[in-house]
Amino acid sequence: MDAPTTASADKGTSDENSDSQDGRDDRERRENGADWFTPRKRGTAHRSTPHEDGNGDGAAASGTAGGRGAEGRRAVPRRPVAAIRPVGTGAARAAAMPPPVVPIPPAMPPPAVPNPPVAPQPAAPATPAPNPRDRNHDASPDAVLVRRTMEEIAPVADKVTSYFYALLFVRHPELRALFPVAMDAQRDRLLRALLTAAEHMDNTEVLVDYLAHLGRGHRKYGTQPAHYPAVGEALIGALSRFAATSWNRETEAAWIRTYTTISQVMIDAAAENERYAPPWWYAEVVSHDLRTPEIAVITVRPDQAYSFLAGQYTSLETPWWPRVWRHYSFAGAPRNDGLLSFHVKAVPAGWVSNALVHHARPGDVLRLGPPAGSMTVDHSSDNGLLCLGGGTGIAPIKALVEDVAKHGERRPVEVFYGARSDHDLYDIDTMLRLQQSHPWLQVRPIIDDRAQLPDLVRAYGPWNEYDAYLSGPIGMIRNGVHTLRGIGIPFERIRHDSLEDLVAAAE
């Protein structure tokens, strides 16, 4: 649901013979004891929340406005926290997670022996060094099998997506209410999130954060622990149909283990988050500033306290398109008055963005998901900040600048603000005012419809003592990671919030 999207899925369905074969395959799995995704309850059947708002009415699942308590505050649902537990808890579950690849230090040399005898040794055949771009080098056996499946289904990804949703909704029609009425808006977000996580399961450090964010974020859809088995069965069903060449018992077992681990991380993160946060917040629009015909700065007031960090983002839902959520970065550091601002550009066929830019007005009520993202400032470091913001990507960059100023730091901050024309530099006045107020800040507007913003950064620097932050179109982020690593900035000091590119750049 909250994940990078790809092309819209094919709407085709399977034929009758194929459905019959799938039914036989399912029966065989159950007869062989492979009824995998059966949830097991925790030690206690229910976990109550610390909120005093009373019981919720399940409105998040239906997309309607949430219930409210006697004092006018929204009720936070209290629900069972039964979880999928085939991999156990504690140490057993930790052992099921593929360990991060850690370089093995060389063994300690033996004590020196005076004049040791030297036996002649035959020359060892030369061993080619491993290719750093070989993604299966040092990969776990399950990761190798999962990636083999991914390679096979890549040419028919749209059909896999269509079949996945067909299986999910036919076998579990009650789940259809969790998704938008028009699936063109949903596209393949849920499936793509699962496949992205599965493909990179060996990158534990990145994946655990990503999956925990998904688990917390899925609370706003009304997702329950009991829904995960249905999704897992649909996933296995779709993969087994379209990966016929690579699919076998070993591959199926690898996917079962992988999905079980993925879902458990998400379930645990959602259960932990439920203890102290609602699944979503109401937010009233208090101002709507149309900067250009396509870009608006929208400020909202949440109905409850909303904590976030500068550089993070959230998801927004409008009353015009229920259950359709889109991500937007906070356009400022946390404020004393609790207001939140967003920069929104209306894009062609963008349901949420067009609603926010062209229809939203003060008094309208939106819904906010939880904050997420790791593009935040490390205030324990003295490194400078190298910030690249393209288009509305300047919003979180502005928030980072405000955050540094609030902490009273004097570390240098270099901002490259890229646009294709003067017209697109819609927030340049704000950035220049910040530059006048803070001598440690340098703002460089870059206007060129041919050059790539990251490439122009090469002309400045050096950047050895800087942490890099990128926000903007996905192409700019990809090019930016490649360029910044090429000029010597280590990967761990390059921050943005695109999982697939984070993982790819780390390989």
Side-chain angles (χ1 to χ4, degrees):
M1 297 178 185
D2 287 335
T5 61
T6 58
S8 180
D10 188 336
K11 296 299 177 186
T13 57
S14 59
D15 56 40
E16 182 179 351
N17 293 334
S18 298
D19 289 341
S20 299
Q21 180 61 46
D22 290 332
R24 288 195 296 271
D25 290 343
D26 289 341
R27 287 194 297 273
E28 290 175 4
R29 292 190 187 99
R30 296 187 182 96
E31 291 168 1
N32 293 332
D35 194 8
W36 354 280
F37 308 123
T38 301
R40 295 217 303 263
K41 293 184 178 180
R42 296 177 183 266
T44 56
H46 295 77
R47 175 184 293 174
S48 61
T49 73
H51 296 278
E52 300 176 358
D53 297 332
N55 292 328
D57 61 1
S62 64
T64 61
R68 296 193 172 254
E71 298 177 5
R73 294 179 296 172
R74 176 166 41 75
V76 179
R78 296 182 179 181
R79 57 170 174 75
V81 199
I84 302 170
R85 289 291 183 185
V87 296
T89 58
R93 188 169 73 246
M97 286 293 292
V101 178
V102 179
I104 301 175
M108 291 295 293
V113 178
N115 301 319
V118 180
Q121 298 290 333
T127 302
N131 182 356
R133 302 304 297 177
D134 180 5
R135 302 180 60 218
N136 288 331
H137 176 65
D138 288 336
S140 67
D142 282 0
V144 173
L145 294 173
V146 165
R147 289 168 184 168
R148 191 175 299 162
T149 305
M150 297 287 291
E151 291 172 1
E152 184 174 355
I153 67 171
V156 291
D158 286 352
K159 293 182 179 179
V160 175
T161 302
S162 294
Y163 195 72
F164 166 78
Y165 282 115
L167 286 179
L168 184 62
F169 296 154
V170 168
R171 295 178 180 177
H172 302 276
E174 71 279 4
L175 299 185
R176 185 61 181 87
L178 302 181
F179 294 82
V181 174
M183 286 298 292
D184 286 345
Q186 173 64 25
R187 298 155 76 98
D188 62 354
R189 285 174 175 261
L190 172 58
L191 180 60
R192 188 60 194 164
L194 297 175
L195 296 181
T196 297
E199 187 178 12
H200 302 296
M201 275 304 294
D202 277 355
N203 196 329
T204 308
E205 182 178 357
V206 173
L207 260 297
V208 168
D209 287 343
Y210 172 67
L211 293 172
H213 156 61
L214 285 182
R216 292 187 294 267
H218 281 192
R219 291 184 60 215
K220 66 180 178 287
Y221 297 100
T223 304
Q224 302 283 332
H227 296 154
Y228 284 87
V231 173
E233 291 168 8
L235 172 66
I236 298 298
L239 294 174
S240 62
R241 175 179 172 86
F242 288 96
T245 301
S246 61
W247 199 262
N248 53 37
R249 289 183 181 274
E250 290 75 18
T251 301
E252 182 174 287
W255 274 98
I256 291 172
R257 287 188 292 268
T258 298
Y259 178 78
T260 298
T261 302
I262 289 172
S263 59
Q264 192 63 64
V265 174
M266 295 174 66
I267 289 169
D268 288 348
E272 175 64 22
N273 182 253
E274 187 179 28
R275 295 173 53 220
Y276 58 84
W280 35 261
W281 289 253
Y282 286 116
E284 180 184 356
V285 177
V286 296
S287 71
H288 185 283
D289 179 12
L290 197 63
R291 296 288 181 86
T292 77
E294 298 85 23
I295 297 176
V297 175
I298 299 173
T299 302
V300 303
R301 178 185 292 110
D303 66 334
Q304 302 178 55
Y306 190 100
S307 299
F308 71 98
L309 299 175
Q312 289 189 307
Y313 62 89
T314 187
S315 50
L316 293 178
E317 179 205 48
T318 73
W320 299 279
W321 298 108
R323 300 189 297 282
V324 180
W325 298 76
R326 290 295 180 266
H327 291 156
Y328 294 98
S329 295
F330 299 104
R335 296 167 46 164
N336 293 332
D337 58 12
L339 298 181
L340 312 173
S341 293
F342 305 93
H343 295 185
V344 182
K345 181 176 182 178
V347 298
W351 293 10
V352 175
S353 64
N354 278 281
L356 289 172
V357 172
H358 300 304
H359 298 288
R361 294 293 181 269
D364 290 333
V365 177
L366 314 176
R367 289 206 296 176
L368 301 175
S374 58
M375 203 181 79
T376 56
V377 177
D378 178 6
H379 292 288
S380 66
S381 170
D382 293 329
N383 288 343
L385 275 64
L386 170 61
C387 303
L388 282 66
T392 53
I394 198 63
I397 302 301
K398 172 177 170 286
L400 295 176
V401 172
E402 292 180 357
D403 191 35
V404 172
K406 283 190 173 184
H407 280 76
E409 296 165 338
R410 295 289 178 176
R411 56 203 297 188
V413 178
E414 301 275 344
V415 174
F416 290 81
Y417 184 1
R420 295 185 180 275
S421 67
D422 291 339
H423 178 74
D424 295 324
L425 293 175
Y426 67 93
D427 209 33
I428 188 62
D429 290 342
T430 302
M431 297 306 298
L432 292 178
R433 282 196 298 270
L434 287 170
Q435 179 179 253
Q436 291 175 354
S437 302
H438 306 297
W440 41 262
L441 173 63
Q442 176 69 53
V443 177
R444 294 186 173 92
I446 306 294
I447 302 173
D448 197 321
D449 61 357
R450 298 180 305 275
Q452 290 288 331
L453 174 61
D455 294 332
L456 299 175
V457 177
R458 294 178 183 272
Y460 300 86
W463 307 113
N464 302 14
E465 305 295 328
Y466 284 76
D467 295 334
Y469 296 80
L470 297 91
S471 178
I474 188 64
M476 189 210 83
I477 293 178
R478 288 174 177 163
N479 186 37
V481 171
H482 176 76
T483 300
L484 295 176
R485 294 194 71 189
I487 60 179
I489 299 181
F491 169 72
E492 61 271 14
R493 293 199 347 238
I494 301 175
R495 303 189 182 188
H496 60 93
D497 284 313
S498 172
L499 172 76
E500 291 179 283
D501 297 304
L502 277 170
V503 174
E507 294 172 348

